[in-house]
Coordinates of all heavy atoms in Angstrom, one line a residue:
M1 N -90.9 1.7 61.5 CA -90.2 0.4 61.3 C -90.1 -0.4 62.6 O -90.0 0.2 63.6 CB -88.8 0.7 60.7 CG -88.8 1.2 59.3 SD -87.3 1.0 58.4 CE -86.5 2.5 59.0
T2 N -90.1 -1.7 62.5 CA -90.0 -2.5 63.7 C -88.7 -3.3 63.7 O -88.0 -3.3 62.7 CB -91.1 -3.5 63.8 OG1 -91.2 -4.3 62.6 CG2 -92.5 -2.8 64.0
I3 N -88.3 -3.9 64.8 CA -87.1 -4.6 64.9 C -87.3 -6.0 64.8 O -88.2 -6.6 65.4 CB -86.5 -4.2 66.3 CG1 -86.1 -2.7 66.3 CG2 -85.3 -5.1 66.6 CD1 -85.7 -2.2 67.7
S4 N -86.5 -6.7 64.0 CA -86.7 -8.1 63.8 C -85.8 -9.0 64.7 O -85.0 -8.5 65.4 CB -86.3 -8.5 62.3 OG -84.9 -8.6 62.2
E5 N -86.0 -10.3 64.7 CA -85.3 -11.2 65.5 C -83.8 -11.3 65.0 O -83.0 -12.0 65.7 CB -86.0 -12.6 65.5 CG -85.8 -13.4 64.2 CD -86.7 -12.8 63.1 OE1 -87.6 -11.9 63.3 OE2 -86.5 -13.2 61.9
F6 N -83.5 -10.7 63.9 CA -82.1 -10.7 63.4 C -81.1 -10.0 64.3 O -79.9 -10.2 64.2 CB -82.1 -10.1 62.0 CG -81.0 -10.6 61.1 CD1 -81.2 -11.8 60.5 CD2 -79.9 -9.9 60.9 CE1 -80.3 -12.3 59.6 CE2 -78.9 -10.4 60.1 CZ -79.1 -11.6 59.4
S7 N -81.6 -9.3 65.3 CA -80.7 -8.5 66.1 C -79.7 -9.2 66.9 O -78.6 -8.7 67.1 CB -81.6 -7.6 67.1 OG -82.3 -8.5 67.9
E8 N -79.9 -10.5 67.3 CA -78.9 -11.2 68.0 C -77.6 -11.4 67.1 O -76.6 -11.5 67.7 CB -79.4 -12.6 68.4 CG -80.6 -12.6 69.3 CD -81.8 -13.1 68.6 OE1 -81.9 -14.3 68.2 OE2 -82.7 -12.3 68.5
V9 N -77.8 -11.5 65.8 CA -76.7 -11.7 65.0 C -76.0 -10.3 64.7 O -74.8 -10.2 64.7 CB -77.1 -12.3 63.6 CG1 -76.0 -12.4 62.7 CG2 -77.7 -13.7 63.9
A10 N -76.9 -9.3 64.4 CA -76.4 -8.0 63.9 C -75.6 -7.3 64.9 O -74.5 -6.7 64.6 CB -77.5 -7.2 63.4
V11 N -76.0 -7.2 66.2 CA -75.3 -6.4 67.1 C -73.9 -6.7 67.4 O -73.0 -5.9 67.3 CB -76.1 -6.3 68.5 CG1 -75.3 -5.6 69.5 CG2 -77.4 -5.5 68.2
P12 N -73.5 -8.0 67.6 CA -72.1 -8.4 67.8 C -71.3 -8.0 66.6 O -70.1 -7.7 66.8 CB -72.2 -9.9 68.0 CG -73.5 -10.2 68.5 CD -74.4 -9.2 67.8
V13 N -71.8 -8.2 65.4 CA -71.0 -7.9 64.2 C -70.6 -6.4 64.2 O -69.5 -6.0 64.0 CB -71.8 -8.2 62.9 CG1 -71.1 -7.7 61.7 CG2 -72.0 -9.7 62.8
I14 N -71.5 -5.5 64.5 CA -71.3 -4.1 64.6 C -70.2 -3.8 65.7 O -69.3 -3.1 65.5 CB -72.6 -3.3 64.8 CG1 -73.4 -3.4 63.6 CG2 -72.3 -1.9 65.2 CD1 -72.8 -2.7 62.4
G15 N -70.4 -4.4 66.8 CA -69.5 -4.2 67.9 C -68.0 -4.6 67.6 O -67.1 -3.9 68.0
L16 N -67.9 -5.6 66.8 CA -66.5 -6.0 66.4 C -65.8 -5.2 65.3 O -64.7 -5.0 65.4 CB -66.6 -7.5 65.9 CG -66.8 -8.5 67.0 CD1 -67.0 -9.9 66.4 CD2 -65.6 -8.6 68.0
S17 N -66.6 -4.7 64.4 CA -66.0 -4.3 63.2 C -66.3 -2.9 62.7 O -65.7 -2.4 61.8 CB -66.3 -5.2 62.0 OG -67.7 -5.2 61.8
E18 N -67.1 -2.2 63.5 CA -67.6 -0.9 63.0 C -67.0 0.3 63.7 O -67.5 1.4 63.6 CB -69.1 -0.8 63.0 CG -69.8 -2.0 62.3 CD -69.4 -2.0 60.9 OE1 -69.6 -1.0 60.2 OE2 -69.0 -3.1 60.4
D19 N -65.9 0.1 64.5 CA -65.4 1.2 65.3 C -65.1 2.5 64.6 O -65.4 3.6 65.1 CB -64.1 0.7 66.0 CG -64.5 -0.1 67.2 OD1 -65.7 -0.4 67.4 OD2 -63.5 -0.5 67.9
D20 N -64.6 2.4 63.4 CA -64.1 3.6 62.8 C -65.0 4.1 61.7 O -64.7 5.0 60.9 CB -62.7 3.5 62.2 CG -61.7 3.3 63.4 OD1 -61.9 3.9 64.4 OD2 -60.8 2.5 63.2
R21 N -66.2 3.5 61.5 CA -67.1 3.8 60.5 C -67.7 5.2 60.7 O -68.1 5.5 61.8 CB -68.2 2.8 60.3 CG -69.2 3.0 59.2 CD -70.3 2.0 59.3 NE -69.9 0.7 58.9 CZ -69.9 0.3 57.6 NH1 -70.3 1.1 56.6 NH2 -69.5 -0.9 57.3
Q22 N -67.8 6.0 59.7 CA -68.5 7.3 59.8 C -69.8 7.1 59.2 O -70.0 6.4 58.2 CB -67.7 8.3 59.0 CG -66.3 8.6 59.6 CD -66.2 9.9 60.3 OE1 -66.9 10.8 60.0 NE2 -65.3 9.9 61.3
V23 N -70.8 7.8 59.7 CA -72.1 7.8 59.2 C -72.7 9.2 59.0 O -72.5 10.0 59.9 CB -73.0 6.8 60.0 CG1 -73.1 7.3 61.5 CG2 -74.5 6.8 59.4
T24 N -73.3 9.4 57.9 CA -74.0 10.7 57.7 C -75.5 10.6 57.8 O -76.1 9.8 57.1 CB -73.6 11.3 56.4 OG1 -72.2 11.5 56.3 CG2 -74.3 12.7 56.2
C25 N -76.1 11.3 58.8 CA -77.5 11.2 59.0 C -78.2 11.8 57.7 O -77.9 12.9 57.3 CB -77.9 12.0 60.2 SG -79.6 12.2 60.5
R26 N -79.1 11.0 57.2 CA -79.8 11.5 56.0 C -80.9 12.5 56.3 O -81.4 13.2 55.4 CB -80.5 10.4 55.3 CG -79.5 9.4 54.6 CD -80.1 8.6 53.5 NE -79.3 7.6 53.1 CZ -79.5 6.7 52.1 NH1 -80.6 6.8 51.5 NH2 -78.7 5.8 51.8
Q27 N -81.2 12.7 57.6 CA -82.2 13.6 57.9 C -81.7 15.0 58.2 O -82.3 16.0 57.7 CB -82.9 13.1 59.2 CG -84.2 13.8 59.5 CD -85.2 12.8 60.2 OE1 -85.5 11.8 59.6 NE2 -85.6 13.1 61.4
C28 N -80.5 15.1 58.8 CA -79.9 16.4 59.1 C -78.6 16.6 58.5 O -78.0 17.7 58.6 CB -79.9 16.7 60.6 SG -78.7 15.6 61.4
Y29 N -78.0 15.6 57.8 CA -76.8 15.7 57.1 C -75.5 16.0 57.9 O -74.5 16.5 57.5 CB -76.8 16.7 55.9 CG -77.9 16.3 54.9 CD1 -79.1 17.0 54.9 CD2 -77.7 15.3 54.0 CE1 -80.1 16.6 54.1 CE2 -78.7 14.9 53.2 CZ -79.9 15.6 53.2 OH -80.9 15.2 52.3
S30 N -75.6 15.7 59.2 CA -74.4 15.8 60.0 C -73.7 14.4 60.0 O -74.3 13.4 59.9 CB -74.7 16.2 61.4 OG -75.7 15.4 62.0
T31 N -72.4 14.5 60.1 CA -71.5 13.2 60.0 C -71.0 13.0 61.4 O -70.6 13.9 62.1 CB -70.4 13.4 59.0 OG1 -70.9 13.6 57.8 CG2 -69.5 12.2 59.0
M32 N -71.1 11.7 61.8 CA -70.6 11.3 63.2 C -70.1 9.9 63.1 O -70.3 9.2 62.1 CB -71.7 11.5 64.2 CG -72.9 10.6 63.9 SD -74.5 11.4 64.4 CE -75.1 11.8 62.7
R33 N -69.3 9.5 64.1 CA -68.8 8.1 64.2 C -69.9 7.2 64.6 O -70.7 7.5 65.5 CB -67.6 8.1 65.1 CG -66.4 8.8 64.5 CD -65.2 8.7 65.4 NE -64.8 7.3 65.6 CZ -64.1 6.9 66.6 NH1 -63.6 7.7 67.5 NH2 -63.7 5.6 66.7
A34 N -69.9 6.0 64.0 CA -71.0 5.0 64.2 C -71.0 4.6 65.7 O -72.0 4.4 66.3 CB -70.8 3.8 63.3
V35 N -69.8 4.6 66.3 CA -69.7 4.2 67.7 C -70.5 5.2 68.6 O -71.1 4.8 69.6 CB -68.3 4.0 68.3 CG1 -67.7 2.7 67.7 CG2 -67.4 5.2 67.9
H36 N -70.4 6.5 68.2 CA -71.1 7.5 69.0 C -72.6 7.4 68.8 O -73.4 7.6 69.8 CB -70.6 8.9 68.6 CG -69.2 9.1 69.0 ND1 -68.4 10.1 68.3 CD2 -68.4 8.6 69.9 CE1 -67.2 10.1 68.9 NE2 -67.2 9.2 69.8
V37 N -73.0 7.0 67.6 CA -74.4 6.8 67.4 C -74.9 5.6 68.2 O -76.0 5.7 68.8 CB -74.7 6.6 65.8 CG1 -76.1 6.3 65.6 CG2 -74.2 7.8 65.0
A38 N -74.1 4.5 68.2 CA -74.5 3.3 68.9 C -74.6 3.7 70.4 O -75.6 3.2 71.1 CB -73.5 2.2 68.7
A39 N -73.7 4.4 70.9 CA -73.7 4.8 72.3 C -74.9 5.7 72.7 O -75.3 5.7 73.8 CB -72.4 5.5 72.7
N40 N -75.4 6.3 71.7 CA -76.6 7.2 71.9 C -77.9 6.5 71.6 O -78.9 7.1 71.3 CB -76.4 8.4 71.0 CG -77.4 9.6 71.3 OD1 -77.6 9.9 72.5 ND2 -78.0 10.2 70.3
G41 N -77.8 5.1 71.6 CA -79.0 4.4 71.4 C -79.4 4.3 69.9 O -80.6 4.2 69.6
Y42 N -78.4 4.4 69.0 CA -78.6 4.4 67.6 C -79.5 5.6 67.1 O -80.2 5.5 66.2 CB -79.2 3.1 67.1 CG -78.2 2.0 67.4 CD1 -78.4 1.1 68.5 CD2 -77.1 1.7 66.6 CE1 -77.5 0.1 68.8 CE2 -76.2 0.7 66.8 CZ -76.4 -0.1 67.9 OH -75.5 -1.1 68.2
Q43 N -79.4 6.7 67.9 CA -80.0 7.9 67.4 C -79.0 8.9 67.0 O -77.9 9.0 67.5 CB -80.8 8.5 68.6 CG -82.0 7.7 69.0 CD -82.8 8.3 70.1 OE1 -82.2 8.5 71.2 NE2 -84.1 8.6 69.9
C44 N -79.3 9.7 66.0 CA -78.5 10.8 65.5 C -78.1 11.7 66.7 O -79.0 12.1 67.5 CB -79.2 11.5 64.4 SG -78.3 13.0 63.9
L45 N -76.9 12.1 66.7 CA -76.4 13.0 67.8 C -77.0 14.4 67.7 O -77.0 15.2 68.6 CB -74.9 13.0 67.9 CG -74.2 11.7 68.1 CD1 -72.7 11.8 68.0 CD2 -74.6 11.0 69.4
T46 N -77.4 14.7 66.5 CA -77.8 16.1 66.2 C -79.4 16.2 66.2 O -79.9 17.1 66.9 CB -77.3 16.6 64.8 OG1 -75.9 16.4 64.8 CG2 -77.7 18.0 64.5
C47 N -80.0 15.3 65.5 CA -81.5 15.5 65.4 C -82.3 14.4 66.2 O -83.5 14.4 66.2 CB -81.9 15.5 63.9 SG -81.7 13.9 63.1
N48 N -81.5 13.4 66.8 CA -82.2 12.3 67.5 C -83.1 11.4 66.8 O -83.8 10.6 67.4 CB -82.9 12.9 68.7 CG -82.0 13.3 69.8 OD1 -81.0 12.7 70.1 ND2 -82.3 14.4 70.5
A49 N -83.0 11.4 65.5 CA -83.7 10.4 64.7 C -83.0 9.1 64.8 O -81.7 9.0 65.0 CB -83.7 10.8 63.2
L50 N -83.7 8.0 64.8 CA -83.1 6.7 64.7 C -82.4 6.6 63.4 O -83.0 6.8 62.3 CB -84.1 5.6 64.9 CG -84.5 5.2 66.3 CD1 -85.7 4.2 66.2 CD2 -83.4 4.5 67.0
V51 N -81.1 6.2 63.4 CA -80.3 6.3 62.2 C -79.6 4.9 62.0 O -79.2 4.3 62.9 CB -79.3 7.5 62.2 CG1 -78.4 7.4 63.4 CG2 -78.6 7.6 60.9
C52 N -79.5 4.5 60.7 CA -78.8 3.3 60.4 C -77.3 3.6 60.3 O -76.9 4.5 59.6 CB -79.3 2.8 59.0 SG -78.3 1.4 58.4
V53 N -76.5 2.9 61.1 CA -75.1 3.1 61.2 C -74.3 2.6 59.9 O -73.2 2.9 59.7 CB -74.4 2.5 62.4 CG1 -75.0 3.2 63.7 CG2 -74.5 1.0 62.5
M54 N -75.0 1.8 59.1 CA -74.4 1.3 57.9 C -74.5 2.4 56.8 O -73.6 2.5 55.9 CB -75.1 0.0 57.4 CG -75.2 -1.0 58.5 SD -73.6 -1.9 58.8 CE -73.6 -3.1 57.4
C55 N -75.6 3.1 56.7 CA -75.9 3.9 55.5 C -76.5 5.3 55.9 O -76.6 6.2 55.1 CB -76.8 3.2 54.5 SG -78.4 3.0 55.1
G56 N -76.8 5.5 57.1 CA -77.3 6.8 57.6 C -78.8 7.1 57.3 O -79.2 8.2 57.6
C57 N -79.5 6.1 56.9 CA -80.9 6.3 56.6 C -81.7 6.4 58.0 O -81.2 6.0 59.0 CB -81.6 5.3 55.7 SG -81.7 3.7 56.5
T58 N -82.8 7.0 57.9 CA -83.7 7.2 59.1 C -85.1 6.8 58.8 O -85.4 6.4 57.7 CB -83.7 8.7 59.6 OG1 -84.4 9.4 58.6 CG2 -82.3 9.2 59.7
D59 N -85.9 6.8 59.8 CA -87.3 6.4 59.6 C -88.0 7.3 58.5 O -88.8 6.8 57.7 CB -88.1 6.6 60.9 CG -88.0 5.3 61.7 OD1 -87.9 4.2 61.2 OD2 -88.1 5.4 62.9
D60 N -87.6 8.5 58.5 CA -88.2 9.4 57.5 C -87.5 9.5 56.2 O -88.1 9.9 55.2 CB -88.3 10.9 58.1 CG -89.3 10.9 59.2 OD1 -90.2 10.1 59.3 OD2 -89.2 11.9 60.0
R61 N -86.2 9.1 56.2 CA -85.4 9.1 54.9 C -84.9 7.7 54.6 O -83.7 7.5 54.9 CB -84.3 10.1 55.0 CG -84.7 11.6 55.3 CD -85.3 12.2 54.1 NE -86.0 13.4 54.4 CZ -85.4 14.6 54.3 NH1 -84.2 14.7 54.0 NH2 -86.1 15.7 54.6
A62 N -85.7 6.9 54.1 CA -85.3 5.5 53.8 C -84.3 5.4 52.7 O -84.2 6.4 51.9 CB -86.6 4.7 53.5
C63 N -83.7 4.3 52.6 CA -82.8 4.1 51.5 C -83.4 4.2 50.1 O -84.6 3.8 50.0 CB -82.2 2.6 51.6 SG -81.2 2.4 53.0
I64 N -82.7 4.5 49.1 CA -83.2 4.5 47.8 C -83.4 3.0 47.5 O -82.5 2.1 47.7 CB -82.1 5.0 46.8 CG1 -81.9 6.5 47.1 CG2 -82.5 4.8 45.3 CD1 -80.7 7.1 46.5
G65 N -84.5 2.6 47.0 CA -84.8 1.2 46.8 C -85.7 0.7 47.9 O -86.3 -0.3 47.8
G66 N -85.6 1.4 49.1 CA -86.5 1.1 50.1 C -85.9 0.2 51.2 O -85.2 -0.8 51.0
C67 N -86.1 0.6 52.5 CA -85.8 -0.2 53.6 C -87.0 -0.1 54.5 O -87.6 1.0 54.6 CB -84.5 0.1 54.3 SG -84.4 1.9 54.8
Y68 N -87.5 -1.1 55.0 CA -88.9 -1.1 55.6 C -88.9 -1.5 57.1 O -89.9 -1.3 57.7 CB -89.8 -2.1 54.8 CG -89.8 -1.8 53.4 CD1 -89.1 -2.6 52.5 CD2 -90.5 -0.6 52.9 CE1 -89.1 -2.3 51.1 CE2 -90.5 -0.3 51.6 CZ -89.8 -1.1 50.7 OH -89.7 -0.8 49.4
W69 N -87.8 -2.0 57.6 CA -87.8 -2.3 59.1 C -86.4 -2.2 59.5 O -85.4 -2.1 58.7 CB -88.5 -3.6 59.3 CG -87.7 -4.8 58.8 CD1 -86.7 -5.5 59.5 CD2 -87.8 -5.4 57.6 NE1 -86.3 -6.5 58.7 CE2 -86.9 -6.5 57.5 CE3 -88.6 -5.2 56.4 CZ2 -86.8 -7.3 56.4 CZ3 -88.5 -6.0 55.3 CH2 -87.6 -7.1 55.3
W70 N -86.1 -2.3 60.8 CA -84.8 -2.4 61.4 C -84.4 -3.8 61.6 O -85.1 -4.5 62.3 CB -84.7 -1.6 62.7 CG -85.0 -0.1 62.5 CD1 -86.2 0.5 62.9 CD2 -84.1 0.9 62.0 NE1 -86.1 1.8 62.6 CE2 -84.8 2.1 62.1 CE3 -82.8 0.9 61.5 CZ2 -84.3 3.3 61.6 CZ3 -82.3 2.1 61.1 CH2 -83.0 3.3 61.1
L71 N -83.3 -4.3 61.1 CA -82.8 -5.6 61.4 C -82.4 -5.7 62.8 O -82.6 -6.7 63.5 CB -81.6 -5.9 60.5 CG -81.8 -6.1 59.0 CD1 -80.5 -6.3 58.3 CD2 -82.8 -7.2 58.7
S72 N -81.9 -4.6 63.3 CA -81.6 -4.5 64.7 C -81.5 -3.0 64.9 O -81.5 -2.2 63.9 CB -80.2 -5.1 65.1 OG -79.2 -4.3 64.9
P73 N -81.4 -2.5 66.2 CA -81.3 -1.0 66.3 C -80.0 -0.6 65.5 O -79.0 -1.1 65.7 CB -81.1 -0.8 67.8 CG -81.8 -2.0 68.4 CD -81.6 -3.1 67.4
G74 N -80.2 0.4 64.7 CA -79.0 0.9 63.9 C -78.7 0.2 62.6 O -77.7 0.6 62.0
I75 N -79.5 -0.8 62.2 CA -79.2 -1.4 61.0 C -80.5 -1.6 60.2 O -81.4 -2.4 60.7 CB -78.5 -2.8 61.2 CG1 -77.3 -2.6 62.0 CG2 -78.2 -3.4 59.8 CD1 -76.6 -3.9 62.4
C76 N -80.7 -1.0 59.1 CA -81.9 -1.1 58.3 C -82.0 -2.3 57.5 O -81.0 -3.0 57.3 CB -82.1 0.2 57.5 SG -81.1 0.2 56.0
S77 N -83.2 -2.6 57.0 CA -83.4 -3.9 56.3 C -82.6 -4.0 55.0 O -82.5 -5.1 54.5 CB -84.9 -4.1 56.1 OG -85.4 -3.1 55.2
S78 N -82.1 -3.0 54.4 CA -81.4 -3.1 53.2 C -80.1 -3.9 53.3 O -79.5 -4.2 52.3 CB -81.2 -1.8 52.5 OG -80.2 -1.0 53.2
H79 N -79.6 -4.1 54.6 CA -78.3 -4.8 54.8 C -78.5 -6.2 55.1 O -77.6 -6.9 55.6 CB -77.6 -4.1 55.9 CG -77.5 -2.6 55.7 ND1 -76.8 -2.0 54.7 CD2 -78.1 -1.6 56.3 CE1 -76.9 -0.7 54.7 NE2 -77.7 -0.4 55.7
K80 N -79.7 -6.8 55.0 CA -79.9 -8.1 55.4 C -78.9 -9.1 54.8 O -78.3 -9.9 55.5 CB -81.4 -8.5 55.0 CG -81.8 -9.8 55.7 CD -83.3 -10.0 55.3 CE -83.7 -11.4 55.8 NZ -84.2 -11.5 57.1
Q81 N -78.7 -9.0 53.5 CA -77.8 -10.0 52.8 C -76.4 -9.8 53.3 O -75.7 -10.8 53.6 CB -77.9 -9.8 51.3 CG -77.2 -10.8 50.5 CD -77.7 -12.2 50.8 OE1 -78.9 -12.5 51.0 NE2 -76.7 -13.2 50.8
E82 N -76.0 -8.5 53.3 CA -74.6 -8.2 53.8 C -74.4 -8.7 55.2 O -73.3 -9.3 55.5 CB -74.6 -6.7 53.8 CG -73.3 -6.0 53.8 CD -73.5 -4.4 53.8 OE1 -74.6 -4.0 53.2 OE2 -72.7 -3.7 54.3
L83 N -75.3 -8.5 56.1 CA -75.1 -9.0 57.5 C -75.2 -10.5 57.6 O -74.4 -11.1 58.4 CB -76.2 -8.4 58.3 CG -76.0 -7.0 58.8 CD1 -77.2 -6.5 59.6 CD2 -74.8 -7.0 59.7
H84 N -76.0 -11.1 56.8 CA -76.1 -12.6 56.8 C -74.7 -13.1 56.4 O -74.2 -14.1 57.1 CB -77.1 -13.0 55.8 CG -77.4 -14.5 55.8 ND1 -77.9 -15.1 57.0 CD2 -77.1 -15.4 54.9 CE1 -77.9 -16.4 56.7 NE2 -77.5 -16.6 55.5
E85 N -74.1 -12.6 55.4 CA -72.7 -13.0 55.0 C -71.7 -12.8 56.1 O -70.9 -13.6 56.4 CB -72.3 -12.4 53.7 CG -73.1 -13.0 52.5 CD -73.1 -12.1 51.3 OE1 -72.2 -11.2 51.2 OE2 -73.9 -12.4 50.4
L86 N -71.7 -11.6 56.7 CA -70.8 -11.3 57.8 C -71.0 -12.2 59.0 O -70.0 -12.7 59.5 CB -71.1 -9.9 58.3 CG -70.2 -8.7 57.8 CD1 -70.7 -7.4 58.3 CD2 -68.7 -9.0 58.2
A87 N -72.3 -12.5 59.3 CA -72.5 -13.3 60.4 C -72.0 -14.7 60.2 O -71.5 -15.4 61.1 CB -74.0 -13.4 60.7
L88 N -72.1 -15.2 59.0 CA -71.6 -16.5 58.7 C -70.1 -16.6 58.9 O -69.5 -17.5 59.4 CB -71.9 -16.9 57.2 CG -73.4 -17.3 57.0 CD1 -73.6 -17.6 55.5 CD2 -73.8 -18.5 57.8
K89 N -69.4 -15.5 58.5 CA -67.9 -15.4 58.6 C -67.5 -15.3 60.1 O -66.6 -16.0 60.5 CB -67.4 -14.1 57.9 CG -67.1 -14.4 56.4 CD -66.5 -13.1 55.9 CE -67.1 -12.8 54.5 NZ -66.9 -11.3 54.2
V90 N -68.2 -14.5 60.9 CA -67.8 -14.2 62.2 C -68.2 -15.4 63.1 O -67.4 -15.8 64.0 CB -68.4 -12.9 62.7 CG1 -68.2 -12.7 64.2 CG2 -67.9 -11.7 62.0
F91 N -69.4 -15.9 62.9 CA -69.9 -16.9 63.9 C -69.8 -18.3 63.3 O -70.5 -19.2 63.7 CB -71.3 -16.6 64.2 CG -71.4 -15.3 65.0 CD1 -72.0 -14.2 64.4 CD2 -71.0 -15.2 66.3 CE1 -72.0 -13.0 65.1 CE2 -71.1 -14.0 67.0 CZ -71.6 -12.9 66.4
G92 N -68.9 -18.6 62.4 CA -68.7 -19.9 61.9 C -69.3 -20.2 60.6 O -69.5 -19.2 59.9
G93 N -69.7 -21.4 60.3 CA -69.9 -21.7 58.9 C -68.7 -22.5 58.5 O -67.8 -22.7 59.2
A94 N -68.7 -22.9 57.2 CA -67.6 -23.7 56.7 C -66.3 -23.0 56.7 O -66.2 -21.9 56.4 CB -68.0 -24.2 55.3
R95 N -65.2 -23.7 57.1 CA -63.9 -23.2 57.0 C -63.2 -24.0 55.9 O -63.4 -25.2 55.8 CB -63.1 -23.5 58.2 CG -63.5 -22.5 59.3 CD -62.5 -22.5 60.4 NE -63.0 -21.7 61.5 CZ -62.4 -21.2 62.5 NH1 -61.1 -21.5 62.6 NH2 -62.9 -20.5 63.4
Ligands
ZN101 ZN1 -79.6 13.7 62.2
ZN102 ZN1 -82.0 2.1 55.0
ZN103 ZN1 -79.0 1.2 56.3

């Protein structure tokens, strides 16, 4: 999977709101805090796979329904709509 230009939007959103999120790596099934995954370069602390902090999918264990690229490091493509809505809330848009 490759990283898209969406990363400028996605990274600040995670930094603001994802502090206490837990993520379970789909590759090795260990659970860890998303902030620790982020600090480790969005790699699983146990198996070092690149892992999505939103849902725990990895390059080898994609989401059910499919995710095909990284929106940003740590966020797979299945969250595109979700992040777009979050980004609108955080970075403005209509009030
Ligand atoms: Zn893992
Ligand atoms: Zn995914
Ligand atoms: Zn995901």
